[in-house]
Amino acid sequence: MKTRSLVAAATLALSALVSPTFAQAQAQAQAQEVTLKLHFFLPASSFANTLFITPWCDKIAKESANRLKCQIYPSMQLGGTPPQLFEQVRDGVADVVWTLPGYTAGRFPSLEAFELPFMMQSPEATSKALWDYAQQHSQQEFKDVKPLAFHVHGDGVFHMSSKPVKSLADLKGLKLRAPTRLTNKFIAMLGATPVSMPVPQVGDALSKGVIDGAVVPYEVVPSVKIQELVKFHTETDPAQPAFYTSTFVFAMNKAKYESLPPELKKVIDANSGQALSGQIGRAFLQADAEGKKLTARNTTNVIPAAELAPWKAMGDKLSADWVKEMDAKGLKGTQMLQDAKALIARHAAGK
């Protein structure tokens, strides 16, 4: 009886020694791979995916020895609508999302400084500036997620069904799709009727005649098959800042990031921030060049700088109104606009 007791006690003692080791081994085995559910609104064939999202996933997989992997869900395959992507990453429905803050009008007012007319000329420099600006002015708005990058797209372009845009008079009475609150306001100031909708709805709206045209960068063309739905593409003078751009956020669920072991956090950290933001801006410039090739059979015209003078005057008025609106919200509108312009200029100069 005494022998049995001794054996039982020894077994119990051994279990106490072995169990933590076994639990640690189990935990380490489970930590070997982390799969991130990555959700966005464009199709898998989009330039956003092929030139930015998939390469990012490949890079973190390589640098983590395949311990970090992505399960990519394009075209809203996890459900919901594009304006709900931010909530999805905040709430853990997705681990990483790519989306436009402007799809939820007024929710992220600080970033709107970069969506004012004639702010952006280089998407790479402006994206770096946007990251720096967000560290100064947008921390509160994005406190519930872990931003990995902020960026903008290339020059906005008019894609028109029935006639090109050569002057302000050509916009009178037309229904135009625009992506964000401020671009919608500017479209209205130019004389057109703005129709707000996410990019995935543009193709259907054009084909059914719900809108007469849309403002999007060339990068979007293949995703929506715009080249098949319109006949005219109108650019603004490339020597001038773009008449509009949109801001984007690439963000991770905060709890998912915090759950990673230190070595995997380092991989995420090394693939986020100002450098990544600039890389995405550069990729979108490349995407514009590829998207424009698809429109070769259509007619393209450029609005010259002289014709843009009244446009810029209206853009200045919109900027002044935005500053007043931000001040009324208790934000530092003048400082925000000044900082945005200064950061864009600094990065454009390569500083």
Side-chain angles (χ1 to χ4, degrees), residues 89-90 92 94-95 139 142-147 251-260 265:
V89 76
R90 181 197 65 193
D95 299 314
Q139 296 273 4
F142 292 92
K143 63 181 175 58
D144 295 328
V145 300
K146 178 175 175 57
M252 186 172 183
N253 176 266
K254 192 176 257 187
K256 188 71 173 183
Y257 173 79
E258 293 299 338
S259 73
L260 297 176
K265 283 183 182 177

Side-chain angles (χ1 to χ4, degrees), residues 19-339:
S19 291
T21 306
F22 178 75
Q24 287 168 5
Q26 238 185 357
Q28 287 170 357
Q30 291 171 352
Q32 290 305 304
E33 291 188 7
V34 176
T35 299
L36 302 175
K37 294 181 292 182
L38 201 160
H39 201 202
F40 58 100
F41 56 91
L42 287 179
S45 60
S46 65
F47 287 126
N49 185 40
T50 60
L51 295 180
F52 145 50
I53 292 172
T54 292
W56 182 84
C57 289
D58 291 344
K59 195 164 184 285
I60 64 168
K62 181 179 179 181
E63 293 180 9
S64 66
N66 284 321
R67 289 180 61 192
L68 278 172
K69 296 181 180 180
C70 295
Q71 179 65 51
I72 295 177
Y73 295 92
S75 301
M76 301 306 298
Q77 288 178 357
L78 287 178
T81 62
Q84 294 171 330
L85 281 165
F86 185 82
E87 280 76 18
Q88 290 184 355
V89 76
R90 181 197 65 193
D91 299 340
V93 174
D95 299 314
V96 181
V97 301
W98 173 68
T99 189
L100 284 81
Y103 278 172
T104 48
R107 181 169 179 178
F108 305 97
S110 66
L111 294 190
E112 288 185 332
F114 281 70
E115 295 177 341
L116 288 163
F118 303 104
M119 290 286 287
M120 187 281 300
Q121 193 155 15
S122 160
E124 180 177 1
T126 304
S127 295
K128 290 179 179 178
L130 179 58
W131 174 268
D132 290 350
Y133 172 93
Q135 309 317 300
Q136 297 175 20
H137 295 288
S138 309
Q139 296 273 4
Q140 185 62 26
E141 292 171 12
F142 292 92
K143 63 181 175 58
D144 295 328
V145 300
K146 178 175 175 57
L148 303 176
F150 292 99
H151 73 94
V152 299
H153 62 57
D155 289 21
V157 178
F158 291 93
H159 305 273
M160 310 300 295
S161 298
S162 59
K163 66 176 183 178
V165 177
K166 295 183 178 180
S167 67
L168 282 176
D170 294 324
L171 291 170
K172 299 294 182 185
L174 296 182
K175 291 176 290 183
L176 283 183
R177 176 269 178 185
T180 64
R181 188 178 77 93
L182 288 181
T183 307
N184 275 291
K185 283 192 169 189
F186 192 45
I187 290 294
M189 293 172 77
L190 296 176
T193 299
V195 182
S196 183
M197 66 179 70
V199 162
Q201 297 175 16
V202 169
D204 191 51
L206 281 170
S207 66
K208 292 179 178 177
V210 174
I211 54 177
D212 300 301
V215 291
V216 294
Y218 279 120
E219 163 261 322
V220 170
V221 165
S223 299
V224 186
K225 294 187 176 5
I226 283 178
Q227 76 277 16
E228 300 173 10
L229 298 169
V230 305
K231 297 178 181 178
F232 304 96
H233 310 275
T234 297
E235 305 169 11
T236 53
D237 188 335
Q240 303 292 317
F243 89 93
Y244 100 93
T245 191
S246 299
T247 62
F248 294 77
V249 62
F250 189 48
M252 186 172 183
N253 176 266
K254 192 176 257 187
K256 188 71 173 183
Y257 173 79
E258 293 299 338
S259 73
L260 297 176
E263 65 274 17
L264 295 187
K265 283 183 182 177
K266 286 181 181 179
V267 173
I268 295 295
D269 292 344
N271 289 280
S272 61
Q274 187 204 88
L276 177 63
S277 300
Q279 289 165 15
I280 300 171
R282 187 166 65 251
F284 271 62
L285 188 62
Q286 179 186 346
D288 280 343
E290 294 300 316
K292 184 173 180 176
K293 291 177 184 177
L294 300 175
T295 68
R297 292 184 179 181
N298 296 338
T299 301
T300 300
N301 70 291
V302 178
I303 302 174
E307 177 63 34
L308 290 174
W311 300 46
K312 288 186 173 182
M314 283 185 273
D316 290 341
K317 171 68 167 58
L318 180 58
S319 295
D321 290 344
W322 179 82
V323 166
K324 291 177 184 176
E325 185 183 354
M326 294 302 104
D327 288 343
K329 291 177 180 288
L331 301 173
K332 298 176 181 178
T334 299
Q335 187 65 54
M336 290 158 69
L337 185 55
Q338 287 176 349
D339 287 349

